């Protein structure tokens, strides 16, 4: 350890020069960054009581659960393209792509025919750019047990607010749409079950009526029912019971479906809508990121430099090294006279 | 800085006669102090004790490469022998290819060791007083190559001639590496002090230099220093 420290202090200028260079370079990078604006939406989320979610995890808070779902959605192209179309992001990117000549790389590729001519962009390209922008600039954070904060970073305050709001709106629509599809499926299923149950019930009723017609002695109120009559009545009661159960389930499914059309029933509610930020928020964050990156890089340079310099130093510096490395007896060490 | 006075040239009874009148004694004429850093002198004092102190008869100071502080250490060891034990010392410059002691102290370059090996002169004629009881033997004028001359010096056991006139012979030898006669010169010594300049000489070169030695040398680390700042040294007790 001391040897490493000695190496550092011995070569401090050589080691610190690249560190200073890295820090200056990162600061320069910060300075040339365009301004960016963050806009946030806060959503209140709670567990659904009217329409229970069978996939709900009881060990997570409602915000954590929904934030996880939203993060997954944001990382999909399907969702991001819809958000892009919902906001004006797709139009803005298309407009920019149409009027831009592209960067150095694009221009070079265009020269050798590997990139399309300027101004010609396909829908797929636009979708890719929208997906890239939303996936990389959207932040989803469960900032409380029941609050989710969705933040979007854009080059203009208006665009930041529009996209942040569009992400949340699309998420709520997606959540509702999924639940509606499930509710519709449940209603359709129970309706078919009710139809089948009704047919079974009608058949059971008819068998009882037919038996009574064929056996008038069984019609009297005081008549003792024979075994066949008892069996037919039992079957008829069972059909009635089954029919009632299915009807109850159908009613519940219909109720769920109707409830999903009511506001806030999906457990999500927007508390704070996205507003265009008044000032750029990027400088502080970019500066912080640059300082962290710069310090990490500088530390790596110093550590690697010290290790390399120590490793390549094959000289003897202390008397004990004489014995360790040469197996010779040291009789003294003369300090440097300054 | 420690200083050894040159004011007195009074030698022991067995000491050599003064140099002939016709040959000016530049060393005695200049009468400069021989300056050795006090810290170096202290280290050489303890090193001298470890090497045998007053029992040393002949000590060769060598190094793997040049510029390791060999000559300064040799001079310091000579001064320690004189100051601490009152012994008369012959500091012999055996670095035939690059003699420095005589030039450094403004002494005659010849006659010296080479002439003594050829028996052209007597031991008394080559001993030049540097200070009280401390004599310098310069390399002299080489009649053949340095390697050949060194072989003659070793073969003729020229240093033993000097031992009859002084109590201890301390030799500033050529470096062991570099193609010079350094390795051959070591055969004339039973006690060798290898000077290693800290942070300068690679271990591989030192090993290369000491592998062929017939005598296991003792090591004196020269020019040691720490780059740690004072506060860190205090913290680590260094």
């Amino acid at each position: 350890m001391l040897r490493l420290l000695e190496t550092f202090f011995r070569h401090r200028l050589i080691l610190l020069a690249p560190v200073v260079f890295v820090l200056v370079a990162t600061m320069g990078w910060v300075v040339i960054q365009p301004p960016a604006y963050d806009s946030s939406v806060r959503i209140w989320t709670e567990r659904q009581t009217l329409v229970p979610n069978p996939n709900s995890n009881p060990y997570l808070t409602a915000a954590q659960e929904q934030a996880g779902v939203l993060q997954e959605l944001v990382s999909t192209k399907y969702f991001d393209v819809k958000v892009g179309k919902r906001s004006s992001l797709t139009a803005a990117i298309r407009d920019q792509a149409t009027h831009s000549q592209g960067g150095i790389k694009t221009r070079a590729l265009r020269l050798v025919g590997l990139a399309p001519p300027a101004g010609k962009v396909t829908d797929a390209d636009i979708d890719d750019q929208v997906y890239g922008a939303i996936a990389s600039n959207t932040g989803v954070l469960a900032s409380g047990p029941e609050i989710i904060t969705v933040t979007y970073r854009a080059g203009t305050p208006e665009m930041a607010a529009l996209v942040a709001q569009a992400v949340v709106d699309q998420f709520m629509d997606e959540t509702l749409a999924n639940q509606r599809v499930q509710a519709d499926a449940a209603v359709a299923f129970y309706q078919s079950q009710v139809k089948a149950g009704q047919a079974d019930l009608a058949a059971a009723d008819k068998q009882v009526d037919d038996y009574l017609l064929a056996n008038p002695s069984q019609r009297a109120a005081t008549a003792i029912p024979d075994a066949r009559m008892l069996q037919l009545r039992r079957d008829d009661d069972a059909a009635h019971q089954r029919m009632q159960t299915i009807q109850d389930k159908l009613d519940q499914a219909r109720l769920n479906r109707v409830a999903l059309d009511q506001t806030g029933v999906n457990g999500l509610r927007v508390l704070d809508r996205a507003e265009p930020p008044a000032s750029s928020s990027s400088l502080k964050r970019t500066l912080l990121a640059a300082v962290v990156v710069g310090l990490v890089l500088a530390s790596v340079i110093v550590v690697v430099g010290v290790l390399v310099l120590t490793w390549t130093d094959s000289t003897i510096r202390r008397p004990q090294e004489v014995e360790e490395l040469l197996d010779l007896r040291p009789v003294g060490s003369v300090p440097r006279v300054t | 800085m420690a200083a050894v006075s040159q004011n007195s040239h009074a030698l022991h009874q067995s000491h050599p006669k003064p140099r002939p009148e016709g040959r000016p004694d530049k060393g005695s004429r200049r009468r400069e102090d021989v300056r050795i850093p006090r810290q170096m002198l202290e280290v050489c004092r303890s090193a001298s004790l470890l090497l045998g102190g007053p029992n040393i008869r002949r000590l060769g100071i060598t190094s793997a490469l040049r510029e390791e502080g060999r000559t300064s250490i040799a001079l310091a060891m000579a001064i320690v022998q004189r100051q601490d034990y009152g012994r008369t010392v012959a500091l012999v410059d055996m670095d035939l290819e690059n003699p420095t002691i005589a030039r450094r102290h403004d002494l005659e370059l010849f006659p010296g060791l080479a002439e003594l090996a050829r028996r052209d002169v007597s031991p008394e004629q080559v001993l030049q007083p540097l200070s009280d009881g401390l004599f310098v033997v310069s390399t002299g004028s080489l009649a053949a190559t340095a390697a050949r001359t060194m072989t003659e010096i070793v073969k003729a056991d020229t240093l033993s001639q000097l031992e009859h006139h002084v109590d201890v012979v301390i030799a500033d030898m050529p470096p062991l590496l570099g193609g010079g006669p350094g390795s051959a010169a070591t055969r004339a010594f039973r006690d060798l002090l290898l000077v290693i300049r800290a942070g300068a000489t690679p271990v591989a070169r030192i090993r290369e230099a000491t592998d062929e030695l017939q005598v296991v040398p003792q090591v004196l680390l020269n020019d040691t220093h720490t780059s740690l700042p004072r506060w860190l040294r205090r913290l680590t007790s260094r």
Side-chain angles (χ1 to χ4, degrees):
Chain A
M1 183 63 191
L2 274 175
R3 189 170 174 122
L4 295 176
L5 281 173
E6 285 223 22
T7 307
F8 172 76
F9 284 104
R10 193 179 310 123
H11 302 287
R12 55 188 175 276
L13 288 180
I14 297 172
L15 290 167
L16 290 179
V19 170
V20 171
F21 175 76
V22 165
L23 289 176
V24 168
T26 49
M27 289 304 151
W29 179 77
V30 169
V31 169
I32 61 169
Q33 290 306 299
Y37 300 87
D38 286 348
S39 182
S40 297
V41 183
R42 283 181 190 80
I43 319 169
W44 175 268
T45 174
E46 58 189 16
R47 291 196 190 283
Q48 298 166 38
T49 48
L50 193 57
V51 187
N53 181 1
N55 299 322
S56 180
N57 185 342
Y59 299 104
L60 296 177
T61 64
Q64 284 173 331
E65 200 171 313
Q66 292 299 329
V69 174
L70 180 52
Q71 270 171 341
E72 283 183 12
L73 282 173
V74 166
S75 64
T76 63
K77 193 172 176 181
Y78 156 82
F79 182 82
D80 293 345
V81 169
K82 282 196 169 183
V83 170
K85 284 176 181 161
R86 188 173 196 135
S87 63
S88 55
L89 182 64
T90 301
I93 287 178
R94 185 185 299 281
D95 188 50
Q96 191 184 10
T98 308
H99 296 99
S100 167
Q101 293 294 315
I104 295 170
K105 186 182 167 189
T106 310
R107 291 181 193 197
L109 288 173
R110 194 175 293 141
L111 280 176
V112 293
L114 292 175
K120 283 190 178 177
V121 282
T122 61
D123 286 345
D125 292 339
I126 298 295
D127 287 350
D128 284 343
Q129 289 185 38
V130 169
Y131 167 57
I134 294 176
S136 60
N137 294 323
T138 306
V140 180
L141 178 70
S143 48
E146 287 172 321
I147 293 179
I148 303 172
T149 304
V150 180
T151 307
Y152 185 77
R153 168 173 286 198
T156 61
E158 294 76 20
M159 184 57 74
L162 278 173
V163 177
Q165 192 59 51
V167 167
V168 171
D169 291 345
Q170 186 62 35
F171 172 58
M172 293 173 79
D173 285 358
E174 289 290 331
T175 311
L176 267 178
N178 285 343
Q179 290 174 353
R180 281 177 182 144
V181 167
Q182 286 181 19
D184 285 341
V187 168
F189 173 74
Y190 288 126
Q191 277 177 338
S192 68
Q193 291 286 302
V194 165
K195 274 184 188 169
Q198 282 172 340
D200 289 346
L201 182 60
D205 285 347
K206 188 173 182 302
Q207 278 186 335
V208 172
D209 290 344
D210 290 348
Y211 189 76
L212 287 174
L213 276 176
N215 301 282
S217 60
Q218 293 288 317
R219 285 186 199 169
T222 55
I224 297 168
D226 59 13
R228 174 64 182 158
M229 188 61 203
L230 280 172
Q231 181 61 44
L232 287 173
R233 284 217 169 126
R234 263 193 225 113
D235 290 347
D236 192 42
D237 289 345
H240 271 283
Q241 222 167 12
R242 226 173 20 250
M243 182 62 202
Q244 189 57 47
T245 306
I246 295 168
Q247 188 62 50
D248 289 347
K249 287 185 175 173
L250 176 61
D251 290 344
Q252 183 61 47
R254 279 180 173 150
L255 175 65
N256 291 349
R257 179 63 187 85
V258 171
L260 288 173
D261 289 335
Q262 304 303 310
T263 310
V265 79
N266 61 348
L268 299 171
R269 189 155 49 95
V270 174
L271 294 181
D272 298 326
R273 291 188 66 80
E275 296 290 343
S279 61
S280 161
S281 57
S282 63
L283 186 62
K284 206 192 292 178
R285 273 180 64 178
T286 313
L287 191 65
L288 189 68
V291 167
V292 170
V293 169
L295 286 177
V296 168
L297 271 177
S299 305
V300 168
I301 289 171
V302 168
V303 169
V304 171
V306 165
L307 288 176
V308 167
L309 287 171
T310 307
W311 185 63
T312 53
D313 179 16
S314 64
T315 61
I316 288 175
R317 295 184 180 276
R318 291 178 296 158
Q320 48 267 48
E321 289 173 358
V322 172
E323 279 189 297
E324 289 167 10
L325 300 173
L326 298 173
D327 200 21
L328 294 175
R329 181 187 173 214
V331 291
S333 73
V334 181
R336 174 177 289 180
V337 179
T338 52
Chain B
M1 301 284 271
V4 177
S5 170
Q6 283 188 216
N7 291 337
S8 170
H9 288 287
L11 300 175
H12 190 266
Q13 282 182 349
S14 62
H15 289 169
K17 294 169 188 171
R19 295 168 74 86
E21 284 296 322
R23 308 189 59 195
D25 186 344
K26 291 163 81 176
S28 59
R29 208 172 50 219
R30 295 285 294 238
R31 296 189 185 286
E32 285 177 354
D33 283 344
V34 180
R35 293 188 178 278
I36 294 291
R38 192 191 313 164
Q39 286 166 313
M40 180 182 280
L41 214 53
E42 288 303 319
V43 173
C44 286
R45 191 159 278 138
S46 59
S48 191
L49 269 176
L50 289 169
L51 290 165
N55 301 319
I56 301 172
R57 285 293 293 157
R58 194 188 289 186
L59 177 66
I61 314 287
T62 187
S63 64
L65 303 169
R66 291 200 176 280
E67 304 294 326
E68 300 211 51
R70 200 177 52 246
T71 305
S72 299
I73 297 293
L75 188 55
M77 292 299 278
I79 290 170
V80 166
Q81 284 289 322
R82 178 63 192 160
Q83 282 188 345
D84 288 13
Y85 311 118
R87 305 174 81 195
T88 51
V89 185
L91 178 60
V92 185
D93 193 349
M94 289 184 75
D95 192 356
L96 303 180
E97 291 175 321
N98 187 27
T100 52
I101 296 176
R103 277 200 198 96
R104 188 184 289 184
H105 298 285
D106 203 16
L107 298 173
E108 295 293 343
L109 296 174
F110 53 85
L113 199 58
E115 287 82 359
L116 190 63
R118 293 197 300 268
R119 300 189 183 280
D120 292 346
V121 291
S122 65
E124 291 89 343
Q125 287 177 294
V126 298
L127 287 164
Q128 303 183 64
L130 181 62
S131 67
D132 179 29
L134 176 55
F135 299 89
V136 169
V137 177
S138 55
T139 52
S141 175
L142 307 192
T145 61
R148 177 79 181 268
T149 307
M150 186 60 77
T151 307
E152 283 174 8
I153 290 167
V154 173
K155 206 180 265 181
D157 199 11
T158 309
L159 297 180
S160 66
Q161 295 180 50
L162 295 170
E163 282 174 344
H164 292 122
H165 297 274
V166 293
D167 296 328
V168 56
V169 172
I170 291 176
D172 177 14
M173 297 167 66
L176 296 169
L177 298 178
S183 188
T186 59
R187 292 190 193 117
F189 296 89
R190 280 195 302 276
D191 291 315
L192 278 178
L193 183 63
L194 180 71
V195 178
I196 297 174
R197 190 171 170 198
T201 317
V203 170
R205 301 307 307 275
I206 302 169
R207 284 207 185 108
E208 184 187 343
T210 54
D211 271 353
E212 301 297 322
L213 290 182
Q214 291 173 345
V215 177
V216 178
Q218 316 274 11
V219 173
L220 187 70
L221 206 55
N222 189 25
D223 199 28
T224 57
H225 62 283
T226 176
S227 307
L228 297 178
R230 195 183 297 260
W231 62 269
L232 196 55
R233 284 206 299 268
R234 217 176 287 140
L235 204 68
T236 55
S237 310
R238 278 171 67 94

